[in-house]
Amino acid sequence: MIAQPKASHFVNGDWLEDEAGAAFEVTYPGTGEVIARLHAATPAVLEAALSGAVAAQADWAARRPVERARVLMKAAEIIRARGEELARLETLDTGKPIQETRVADWPSGADALEYFAGLAPTLTGETMPLGGDFAYTIREPLGVCAGIGAWNYPSQIACWKAAPALSTGNAMVFKPSEMTPLGALQLAAIFIEAGMPAGIFNVVQGFGAVGAALATDPRIAKVSLTGSVPTGAKVYAAAAAGMKHVTMELGGKSPLIVFDDADVESAVGAAMLGNFYSSGQICSNGTRVFVQKGIKARFLERLAARTAKIVAGDPMEEATQFGPLISAAQHEKVLGYIAKGKEEGATLVCGGSAGNEGPLFVQPTVFADVTDTMTIAREEIFGPVMAVLDFDTEEEVIARANGTQFGLAAGVFTGDLARGHRMVARLQAGTTWINAYNLTPVEMPFGAVKASGLGRENSKAAVEHYTQVKAVYVGTGPVESPY
Ligand code: NDP
């Protein structure tokens, strides 16, 4: 299987190669096969991307919002028309099952393009009457934004950042994770096909140093990062030095709380989705599943039975529900956490080993009787490892759920809706669900509190993070001056 793009980068409306950049291989996690060979961006590639974006942005910003919207809508239409081809590429890039990439990755990216295409033309300023004088506000783009992506949802991340940025008149230089560099290149080419001017959306490849070069470049007005908390801290500090805007979508260790009165099948289904979808490589996963003691036995019994039926295998097979992890390093890390869970005394309910479907598989794993101090209850694993913890009361579970540096997401399952609302009001998380989990429609803000990040993606809230307000005072009479 070969998925070699025409070149490593897409800059100023065209494919661009510079073989002087460090060479790296892209492998298909399903088999470990090399599917593409690329080069990291050299300073010359970065210069071309940044100067091209700066040159193109002002004209793009000056267009009518409906003109920009038309291009984004067209791009979404192309993505939907090529859904199958793009899903296959996403599966090759990430190893996620084709049944996931067909419905979750590019389709959610297309949703974002459509949503922000619709929203941008409706954005207006305010007028403030001041007697004879008056003031008004203009919502302006920030300029050139840097997007830096993680490897778990590479195309969705590129679209989620590009859609609000571009619809409001910004340009973007996007750096995907070097493990999943292929989807964003397709997005850049699709934008050009849809009529976007050259230079508005550029993709440069590379490792952390390329991301760091973007975060420190004075031409970049904003950095939007999806990545881990340690990387977020570095990028935020670099951006602060240049007084740049940031959006940080970082890691989590989110609580999913199941009360005795919950619908067991729904709660089990949500816990499985929130731990095993994308082989657990999802930032907002509910990896600490707090189960009230009265429902524990039934919950674990159904969880074990349903987990045993998960179909792991070749990600390209229609029937496959569960694929490999992204890399050998991630595989080793996740197995290390499983070993810690066993060592520290958690009860292994199912899974607990490497899978035999391929080199990068880990079995969907459930630990019960997990306590708050165990490593698997404290650290982000980013793999298919669910920790089930017991609790008695609302007060207790709120305190324990909030007892973490992370604050990305939280979920509550209960038959008592009043309790659901009471709980989410007190949970320290940017994104919460009542009787649902991990649904992130573009209409709803997505983001974090505490160390899991700041800023919001999706929804009207994202507009605040890609625009700034200019105030205009208009004098209508003579200037009164004491001098
Ligand atoms: P990393 O933090 O390792 O990397 C994220 C991106 O930042 C990569 O493109 C990486 O490049 C780049 N990078 C690394 N160092 C720097 C630097 N100093 N300056 C600028 N850029 C840098 O995350 P992963 O790719 O390992 O992704 C997993 C993490 O992402 C998890 O913690 C997960 O929770 C989080 N995540 C958060 C989401 C959210 O929306 N909140 C969604 C998805 C994932 P390179 O890969 O080349 O090193």
Side-chain angles (χ1 to χ4, degrees):
M1 273 175 292
I2 294 294
Q4 184 69 33
K6 286 188 191 156
S8 298
H9 319 286
F10 199 101
V11 168
N12 284 328
D14 211 348
W15 299 91
L16 178 66
E17 193 54 271
D18 182 350
E19 291 183 358
F24 65 95
E25 291 178 337
V26 187
T27 54
Y28 170 44
T31 59
E33 214 175 318
V34 175
I35 54 168
R37 290 189 165 79
L38 303 183
H39 294 271
T42 55
V45 168
L46 279 175
E47 184 52 38
L50 285 162
S51 56
V54 169
Q57 190 261 331
D59 173 64
W60 177 244
R63 294 189 185 196
R64 284 179 61 202
V66 283
E67 274 186 60
R68 294 195 298 264
R70 213 172 289 138
V71 177
L72 267 64
M73 277 292 190
K74 182 71 191 166
E77 195 186 311
I78 297 170
I79 288 169
R80 294 203 190 279
R82 293 194 197 143
E84 183 60 20
E85 176 197 328
L86 292 170
R88 292 182 79 79
L89 185 68
E90 194 77 348
T91 288
L92 286 176
D93 218 3
T94 62
K96 296 194 291 180
I98 190 81
Q99 64 164 247
E100 285 191 18
T101 55
R102 273 184 189 145
V103 299
D105 296 76
W106 281 101
S108 134
D111 282 357
L113 294 168
E114 288 159 351
Y115 178 86
F116 287 103
L119 184 62
T122 72
L123 299 174
T124 55
E126 290 180 298
T127 308
M128 291 124 236
L130 301 168
D133 291 356
F134 65 97
Y136 65 94
T137 60
I138 304 170
R139 192 160 278 285
E140 295 181 330
L142 303 174
V144 179
C145 304
I148 305 176
W151 39 259
N152 60 339
Y153 276 79
S155 301
Q156 182 197 72
I157 289 171
C159 290
W160 280 19
K161 295 188 189 311
L166 273 43
S167 65
T168 51
N170 298 280
M172 179 166 271
V173 180
F174 186 83
K175 187 203 89 68
S177 163
E178 86 287 351
M179 281 187 275
T180 53
L182 303 178
L185 288 170
Q186 294 305 315
L187 179 63
I190 287 170
F191 276 142
I192 293 298
E193 199 181 327
M196 189 167 286
I200 297 300
F201 184 77
N202 306 274
V203 175
V204 295
Q205 307 292 351
F207 298 80
V210 172
L214 290 174
T216 48
D217 193 283
R219 288 165 289 188
I220 292 290
K222 181 212 166 91
V223 188
S224 177
L225 170 81
T226 299
S228 61
V229 171
T231 303
K234 280 190 229 161
V235 173
Y236 194 5
M243 211 58 82
K244 300 178 198 305
H245 299 249
V246 294
T247 295
M248 295 280 150
E249 295 292 356
L250 310 176
K253 192 76 199 174
S254 301
L256 196 173
I257 301 168
V258 181
F259 283 94
D260 285 347
D261 62 356
D263 178 288
V264 181
E265 289 304 326
S266 290
V268 166
M272 291 173 72
L273 272 174
N275 279 275
F276 301 146
Y277 205 69
S278 297
S279 295
Q281 302 166 115
I282 299 183
C283 51
S284 51
N285 271 354
T287 47
R288 289 183 296 148
V289 181
F290 289 93
V291 179
Q292 207 169 16
K293 283 184 183 152
I295 204 177
K296 178 183 172 186
R298 215 146 46 95
F299 183 90
L300 286 177
E301 180 204 319
R302 290 300 300 141
L303 179 60
R306 288 175 61 176
T307 301
K309 289 194 191 142
I310 291 177
V311 180
D314 177 352
M316 284 295 178
E317 282 292 324
E318 303 274 330
T320 297
Q321 299 170 320
F322 185 86
L325 296 177
I326 186 74
S327 65
Q330 191 66 14
H331 189 252
E332 192 183 320
K333 182 178 150 195
V334 172
L335 288 178
Y337 277 112
I338 291 176
K340 277 261 179 225
K342 292 175 184 168
E343 253 168 64
E344 293 178 8
T347 307
L348 184 65
V349 176
C350 51
S353 310
N356 53 18
E357 297 83 3
L360 300 182
F361 281 75
V362 170
Q363 294 174 335
T365 297
V366 176
F367 282 106
D369 306 314
V370 176
T371 60
D372 297 347
T373 53
M374 289 181 187
T375 310
I376 58 167
R378 287 186 291 108
E379 297 182 12
E380 184 183 48
I381 300 175
F382 226 56
V385 184
M386 187 192 308
V388 178
L389 306 92
D390 313 338
F391 76 94
D392 288 301
T393 68
E394 249 181 74
E395 277 307 310
E396 171 208 342
V397 77
I398 287 273
R400 291 172 60 200
N402 288 339
T404 168
Q405 60 155 337
F406 297 112
L408 183 50
V412 180
F413 273 79
T414 175
D416 176 354
L417 264 187
R419 169 155 64 189
H421 292 290
R422 195 159 67 231
M423 292 289 296
V424 294
R426 295 177 65 194
L427 284 166
Q428 296 166 350
T431 308
T432 64
W433 294 273
I434 300 173
N435 293 335
Y437 203 81
N438 258 0
L439 301 177
T440 55
V442 67
E443 296 87 344
M444 181 178 106
F446 181 75
V449 300
K450 295 163 76 178
S452 293
L454 70 166
R456 292 292 177 267
E457 296 201 300
N458 290 342
S459 81
K460 289 180 198 158
V463 169
E464 305 282 331
H465 301 289
Y466 283 98
T467 58
Q468 57 201 351
V469 170
K470 175 179 278 170
V472 185
Y473 185 106
V474 182
T476 56
V479 172
E480 280 176 30
S481 163
Y483 312 110

